[in-house]
Amino acid sequence: MATPTTILERMVDQPVSLRLKDSRELSGRLLGLDDHMNLVLDEVEETSATGTRRLGRVLVRGSNVISLTASSGLPPKRT
Amino acid sequence: MATPTTILERMVDQPVSLRLKDSRELSGRLLGLDDHMNLVLDEVEETSATGTRRLGRVLVRGSNVISLTASSGLPPKRT
Amino acid sequence: MATPTTILERMVDQPVSLRLKDSRELSGRLLGLDDHMNLVLDEVEETSATGTRRLGRVLVRGSNVISLTASSGLPPKRT
Amino acid sequence: MATPTTILERMVDQPVSLRLKDSRELSGRLLGLDDHMNLVLDEVEETSATGTRRLGRVLVRGSNVISLTASSGLPPKRT
Amino acid sequence: MATPTTILERMVDQPVSLRLKDSRELSGRLLGLDDHMNLVLDEVEETSATGTRRLGRVLVRGSNVISLTASSGLPPKRT
Amino acid sequence: MATPTTILERMVDQPVSLRLKDSRELSGRLLGLDDHMNLVLDEVEETSATGTRRLGRVLVRGSNVISLTASSGLPPKRT
Amino acid sequence: MATPTTILERMVDQPVSLRLKDSRELSGRLLGLDDHMNLVLDEVEETSATGTRRLGRVLVRGSNVISLTASSGLPPKRT
C-alpha cells in the first residue's frame, strides 16, 4: 500500500493543483512539503471568485489544504 | 472487534465514495491512507453542486473527511 | 465508574444511532471503533434533510461525531 | 484547589445538565467520563429548538461540550 | 514574568467573569482549573441575549473560553 | 533569527494591542504569556462594535488570538 | 527536497505578504518564525476591506495563517 506521504513525495517538482478551505485554487510546481502537509509551490497561479493572478512562490499552511491533484497534460474532462 | 484502520486497509484497491466537509463527494479507487485518515484515491470523479468532473489522482487531507463508504456493485436503494 | 470507551466497546455489534456535525443521522450496527472515536457501522441508513437512503458499510471520522445513542427496541417517546 | 476532573468525578451518578455546541441541552444521570471530557449519560432527555425527547443512554464526544451544570433539586431561579 | 497559569491560580476563590465563544458571559467564584483551561465556577450567574439566570456550579470546557476577567468591587467604567 | 517567543518576552511590561477572533481589540500592558500564547494583560481597554470599556486585568486563551501589535507612542498612520 | 521550514527560514529579513483567515493581508519584513508557523513581521502594512493602515511590528499566531508569498520587486501580473 502506498502511503499519502510517499505519493506526495513522488509529486515533488511536478505540476499540482491545490484546493484551499477559503475557496481558492492554486496551481504550480510542488517544491516541498512536511508531515503537517505544509506545502511550498513555485510559479503559482491563483484562481478565486475574483479572477486569476500570478503569485510566484507560495507557502501554504497544511491546515488550509483540502485536497491536492496531480496536474496531467490533459485538461479535466467534464462528464 | 474490527478497528477502523483494519477495515480501511481492507478497502485498499477497492472503489470507495468519500464525503468531504466542503460538500463535495469523491468516488474512486482507494490507493493509500495513513493514521490521520489522509487518503489517496485514483480515477476520481468529483460530484458537487456545480456538477461532476474527472480529477485523476487526488490526495485528501484527513481533517476534511466526514465519512467513507464502500462502493458496492449495487446502487444505493432509496427507501 | 464506567469510561466512555468501555461503554462504547460494549455497544459493538449492537444497533446504534449517530448524530454528525453536518446534520446527518446514521443508524446501523456498530462494527468497530478506536481512541479518536473513529467508528465503523454496517447496514447503515442515513437520514438528512433530503430524505433517507441506505449506505451499507460506512466509516466515520471521529471529529465529525457529536453523539451516539444506543438504539433500543422501543421507539423514542416524545414528551 | 479542586481540579475540574476531581469535581466531574464527584458528579458521577448525579443528575447533570449538558450544553452542546449544536444548541442542544441534554439532561440525565452522569455515568462516566474521560480526560477528553467524553461523557456518558443515562436516562437522557434532549431539549432543542424542535422540542423535547427521551434518548436513553447517550455518549457525547467531548469536543462538542460547552458546559456542564450540576442539576439541583431546585429549579434555576430567573433574576 | 508571571505566567497565565500562576495568575489564574491566584484568582481561585475570587469572583471572576468569563466570556464564552457562544456569546454567553458567566460570573461566579473560581473553584478550580487545569492546564487546558477547563474551569469550575460556583454561584454562577449567566448572561446571554435571552436574559440572566442563576446556574449554581458550572464546569466549562476550556476550548470554549475566550477570556477571563477578575471581577473588582468597582463596576467597569464606560469611557 | 528572533523567534516569536523571544520577541513576545521582550514585550512584557510594554503596552500592546491584541486582535481577537471575536472581533474585539484589547489594549493594555502585557503581564505574562506561555507557549500556547495564552496572555495576561493589565489595565485593559476593550474596543468592539458596541464601543469601548475598561476591563482591568484580563487573561486571554491563546486559541482566540489572531495577532499582537506593539503599541508605539505614535498613532497608526492611515495611508 | 526543500522543506517548508527551510524555505521559510531563507525568507527571513525579506519582504513577504501574508494572507490571514480573517481576510486581512499583511505585508512586511519577516523577522522570525517557529514550528507552529507563528510569525513576526516588521514595518507591517495591513490591507482589509476597510482600507490600508501601518501597524509596525506584528506577531501573528500561526493558526490564523493561510499562506505566505515572497514579495518580489515586480507587482503581481493579472492574467
Side-chain angles (χ1 to χ4, degrees):
Chain A
M1 187 187 74
T3 66
T5 305
T6 315
I7 291 171
L8 255 181
E9 285 174 353
R10 263 187 243 144
M11 287 181 177
V12 168
D13 282 324
Q14 304 296 322
V16 298
S17 178
L18 206 60
R19 183 187 287 257
L20 301 186
K21 286 189 181 166
D22 65 354
S23 303
R24 288 190 296 156
E25 292 212 15
L26 303 183
S27 299
R29 193 163 51 86
L30 183 63
L31 276 194
L33 59 109
D34 63 22
D35 285 349
H36 304 288
M37 221 176 276
N38 297 321
L39 301 168
V40 185
L41 271 68
D42 216 353
E43 303 150 28
V44 173
E45 195 168 279
E46 173 196 86
T47 306
S48 68
T50 61
T52 300
R53 58 176 182 153
R54 295 192 191 161
L55 291 175
R57 183 167 296 187
V58 178
L59 185 146
V60 179
R61 200 175 189 261
S63 55
N64 300 287
V65 173
I66 297 179
S67 58
L68 182 147
T69 309
S71 303
S72 70
L74 301 171
K77 184 166 82 175
R78 297 241 156 216
T79 54
Chain B
M1 187 187 74
T3 66
T5 306
T6 316
I7 291 171
L8 255 182
E9 286 174 354
R10 262 187 243 145
M11 288 181 178
V12 169
D13 283 325
Q14 304 296 323
V16 299
S17 177
L18 206 61
R19 184 187 286 257
L20 301 187
K21 286 190 181 166
D22 65 354
S23 303
R24 288 189 297 156
E25 293 212 14
L26 304 183
S27 299
R29 194 163 51 86
L30 182 62
L31 276 194
L33 59 108
D34 63 21
D35 286 349
H36 304 289
M37 220 177 276
N38 297 322
L39 301 168
V40 185
L41 271 69
D42 216 352
E43 302 151 28
V44 173
E45 196 168 279
E46 173 197 86
T47 307
S48 67
T50 62
T52 300
R53 58 175 182 153
R54 295 191 191 161
L55 292 175
R57 183 168 296 188
V58 178
L59 184 147
V60 179
R61 199 175 190 262
S63 56
N64 300 287
V65 173
I66 297 178
S67 58
L68 181 147
T69 310
S71 302
S72 70
L74 301 170
K77 185 165 82 175
R78 299 238 158 218
T79 55
Chain C
M1 187 187 73
T3 66
T5 306
T6 315
I7 291 171
L8 254 183
E9 285 174 353
R10 262 187 243 144
M11 287 181 178
V12 169
D13 282 325
Q14 305 296 322
V16 298
S17 178
L18 206 61
R19 183 187 287 256
L20 301 187
K21 287 190 181 166
D22 65 355
S23 304
R24 288 189 297 156
E25 293 213 13
L26 303 182
S27 299
R29 194 163 51 86
L30 182 62
L31 276 193
L33 58 110
D34 64 22
D35 286 350
H36 303 288
M37 221 177 275
N38 297 322
L39 301 169
V40 185
L41 271 68
D42 216 354
E43 302 151 28
V44 172
E45 196 168 278
E46 173 198 84
T47 307
S48 67
T50 62
T52 299
R53 58 177 182 152
R54 294 191 192 161
L55 291 176
R57 182 167 296 186
V58 179
L59 185 146
V60 179
R61 198 173 191 263
S63 55
N64 300 287
V65 173
I66 296 179
S67 58
L68 182 148
T69 309
S71 303
S72 70
L74 301 171
K77 185 165 81 175
R78 300 239 156 216
T79 56
Chain D
M1 188 188 73
T3 66
T5 306
T6 315
I7 291 170
L8 255 182
E9 286 174 353
R10 263 187 242 145
M11 287 180 177
V12 169
D13 283 324
Q14 305 295 322
V16 298
S17 177
L18 205 60
R19 183 188 287 256
L20 301 187
K21 286 190 181 166
D22 64 355
S23 304
R24 288 189 298 156
E25 294 212 14
L26 303 182
S27 299
R29 193 164 51 87
L30 182 63
L31 276 194
L33 58 110
D34 64 22
D35 285 350
H36 304 288
M37 221 177 275
N38 297 321
L39 301 169
V40 185
L41 271 70
D42 216 353
E43 302 152 27
V44 172
E45 197 168 278
E46 174 197 84
T47 306
S48 67
T50 62
T52 299
R53 58 177 182 152
R54 294 190 192 162
L55 291 175
R57 182 168 297 186
V58 178
L59 185 147
V60 179
R61 197 173 191 264
S63 55
N64 300 285
V65 173
I66 297 179
S67 57
L68 182 148
T69 310
S71 303
S72 71
L74 301 171
K77 185 164 82 175
R78 299 242 157 214
T79 55
Chain E
M1 188 188 73
T3 67
T5 305
T6 314
I7 291 171
L8 255 182
E9 286 175 353
R10 262 187 243 146
M11 287 180 177
V12 169
D13 283 325
Q14 305 296 323
V16 297
S17 177
L18 206 60
R19 183 187 286 256
L20 301 186
K21 286 190 182 167
D22 65 354
S23 303
R24 288 190 297 155
E25 294 212 14
L26 303 182
S27 298
R29 194 165 48 88
L30 182 62
L31 276 194
L33 58 109
D34 63 22
D35 285 351
H36 304 289
M37 221 176 276
N38 296 321
L39 301 169
V40 185
L41 271 69
D42 217 353
E43 303 151 28
V44 172
E45 197 167 278
E46 173 197 85
T47 306
S48 67
T50 62
T52 299
R53 58 176 182 153
R54 294 191 192 163
L55 292 175
R57 182 168 298 187
V58 178
L59 184 146
V60 178
R61 198 174 191 264
S63 54
N64 301 286
V65 173
I66 297 179
S67 58
L68 182 148
T69 310
S71 303
S72 70
L74 301 171
K77 185 165 81 174
R78 299 246 156 211
T79 54
Chain F
M1 188 187 73
T3 67
T5 306
T6 315
I7 291 172
L8 255 181
E9 286 174 353
R10 262 187 243 145
M11 288 181 177
V12 169
D13 283 325
Q14 304 296 322
V16 297
S17 178
L18 207 59
R19 183 187 287 254
L20 302 186
K21 287 191 182 166
D22 65 353
S23 304
R24 287 190 298 156
E25 294 212 15
L26 303 182
S27 299
R29 194 164 48 88
L30 182 63
L31 276 194
L33 58 109
D34 64 22
D35 285 350
H36 304 288
M37 222 176 275
N38 297 321
L39 301 169
V40 185
L41 272 69
D42 216 354
E43 303 151 29
V44 173
E45 196 168 278
E46 173 196 86
T47 306
S48 67
T50 61
T52 299
R53 59 176 182 153
R54 294 191 192 162
L55 292 175
R57 182 168 297 188
V58 178
L59 184 146
V60 178
R61 199 174 190 262
S63 55
N64 301 288
V65 173
I66 296 179
S67 59
L68 182 147
T69 309
S71 304
S72 70
L74 301 170
K77 184 165 81 174
R78 298 245 156 212
T79 54
Chain G
M1 188 187 73
T3 67
T5 306
T6 315
I7 291 171
L8 255 181
E9 285 173 353
R10 262 187 243 145
M11 288 180 177
V12 169
D13 283 326
Q14 305 295 322
V16 298
S17 178
L18 206 60
R19 183 187 287 255
L20 301 186
K21 286 190 183 167
D22 65 354
S23 303
R24 287 190 297 156
E25 293 211 15
L26 303 183
S27 299
R29 194 163 49 87
L30 182 63
L31 276 193
L33 58 109
D34 64 21
D35 285 350
H36 304 288
M37 222 176 274
N38 297 321
L39 302 168
V40 185
L41 272 68
D42 216 354
E43 302 150 28
V44 173
E45 195 168 279
E46 173 196 86
T47 306
S48 67
T50 62
T52 299
R53 58 176 182 154
R54 295 191 192 163
L55 292 175
R57 182 168 298 187
V58 178
L59 184 146
V60 179
R61 199 175 189 262
S63 55
N64 300 288
V65 173
I66 297 178
S67 58
L68 182 147
T69 309
S71 304
S72 70
L74 301 170
K77 184 166 82 175
R78 298 242 156 214
T79 54

